[in-house]
Amino acid sequence: MRKIIATLLLSVAASATAQNFENQFTRSLSDVMGDVQRRFGIRLKYDMDTTGIKVPYADFRIRPYSVEETLTNILAPLDFKPVYQQKNVWKVKRYEYPRRQPADGEKLIAYLSGLYADKAQWEARRDTLRQEVKERLGISPLLEFREAPKADYGALRKHDGYTVQNFRCHTIGGHTVCGSIYAPLPLTGKKAKGADSKGRHPLIVCPNGHFNQGRYNADLQKRYGTLARMGAICVSYDLWGWGESAEEVGNESHHTSEAHVMQAFNGLTILDLLLASRVDIDTMRIGVNGGSGGGTQTMLLSVLDDRFAASCPVVSMSSWFDGGCPCESGMPIQLAGGGTCNAELAALFAPKPMMVVSDGGDWTSTTPALEYPYLQRIYGFYGAKDQVGNVHLPDERHDFGPNKRQAVYDFFISVFGLDATMLDEDKVTIEDENILRFQPKSIQP
């Protein structure tokens, strides 16, 4: 009888791909996921090669009542995660430390909100975050030991209502950062557009994101030129390891933690350069505005420097996504204060004017229901809910398109008194990348 039972057990084990306690009921991931697709009627996509990967206790990880729990149980030991894409479609991805899910954002916002019940508690938290962000970013030694910034300038190019001038700013350790300054064209015998009684203009620092062509992108040029036509001085500059910076430090340097530090350092250095070299800037009207990765930099710059008076992050601010690229999340600033997120870092700007632009096609999709009410609560501690706004474009995706640019224009018209009658993107000249690259005045075309 025992021989018969043993024979039967061996037969059953063989028919079940030799699963037993001794081998931890192991099955290949591809086989398990194939069963999951058939069981739940779903389709799985992958961003990695799963050849040869084994899953211990595979069948015992399946929960017949929940595809999400099933996928989570199977993938967690492998450091993979399931991401819902659309009806009946899931994507299997490697664990991403800067990216979570909307439900995680809801939990984090609820946790953070519980840390402060009034203005005093919030400001204690705010001061802690500011200090720790600087420490974790590692930027203070660079700012402390750098020399006064200096720059070389290219020839001034005149367009319809504005000028453009390229520059190369010397920063630290022999490094440079290149960019372009867009400024209102002086009017003979008339008060300059957007200028105060002393002829000074607001300054808008414009860090760039990962849009095609970087700062040479046509949509971004329209934004710089239009803001300049309306009366603001705008400065655009290369990402670390992009554009002219890539020729100095290489493209691969952009995908390092070094880029996180240097992009913030370059933004603050350029701000210092312009304030020291130009007498036509109103120091009480300094703004910061960027989209995507430039929006992440917008929030970071506003945390690092109190001179900014208005902030406008576009398609970037989220409680459940920190940027992804090492240039946005390479240094562990999100661990400040025991754990934070870009929504809380943006809130450090309260009670100064801020406009958050979001859309329905990326990680800012939850802004109207989640992050914006949170910001309003913080601004409410100062009786300043009217100083924070949100333009949400539910049918749009991740870009810096015309509706997003219009939101930017409206915001700076409101807070900096720009001349709305000069708002006409068709008047902006889109320049070739080679023209926007720095050349000494003596060899400008």
Side-chain angles (χ1 to χ4, degrees), residues 74-226:
I74 292 170
L75 298 174
L78 307 172
D79 220 20
F80 299 159
K81 66 176 184 178
V83 177
Y84 179 75
Q85 302 267 285
Q86 55 185 321
K87 185 178 180 180
N88 296 328
V89 178
W90 293 73
K91 188 168 186 177
V92 178
K93 305 185 72 173
R94 298 185 186 277
Y95 179 76
E96 301 170 279
Y97 75 92
R99 187 189 300 269
R100 298 168 293 279
Q101 295 297 303
D104 296 305
E106 292 178 14
K107 295 173 185 176
L108 183 55
I109 288 293
Y111 162 75
L112 294 174
S113 297
L115 298 180
Y116 24 82
D118 53 34
K119 179 181 174 182
Q121 291 180 341
W122 160 250
E123 290 191 339
R125 169 77 173 175
R126 177 199 65 188
D127 294 344
T128 296
L129 287 174
R130 281 181 174 162
Q131 182 61 33
E132 285 198 28
V133 166
K134 290 180 180 178
E135 292 173 356
R136 291 180 178 276
L137 186 63
I139 197 172
S140 295
L142 294 180
L143 294 172
E144 182 178 352
F145 293 110
R146 68 174 179 174
E147 298 179 355
K150 60 181 180 179
D152 305 311
Y153 296 92
L156 195 70
R157 304 186 298 281
K158 293 183 179 181
H159 296 299
D160 188 337
Y162 70 103
T163 63
V164 185
Q165 186 174 34
N166 302 338
F167 68 91
R168 180 176 59 198
C169 178
H170 302 267
T171 58
I172 193 170
H175 290 301
T176 65
V177 57
C178 294
S180 300
I181 301 168
Y182 295 71
L185 188 64
L187 300 177
T188 304
K190 297 181 180 179
K191 179 183 176 182
K193 304 176 294 295
D196 63 10
S197 59
K198 297 181 180 180
R200 298 174 302 184
H201 297 271
L203 169 66
I204 303 175
V205 177
C206 299
N208 278 284
H210 300 100
F211 297 111
N212 182 39
Q213 293 184 290
R215 69 182 180 90
Y216 316 118
N217 180 283
D219 284 347
L220 302 188
Q221 289 190 54
K222 290 177 184 178
R223 177 170 124 251
Y224 311 141
T226 300

Side-chain angles (χ1 to χ4, degrees), residues 38-59:
R38 290 186 290 273
R39 175 189 286 264
F40 291 100
I42 62 173
R43 182 164 65 90
L44 296 172
K45 301 191 297 183
Y46 299 83
D47 71 351
M48 80 287 286
D49 181 8
T50 62
T51 303
I53 297 179
K54 303 289 186 179
V55 182
Y57 303 109
D59 293 320

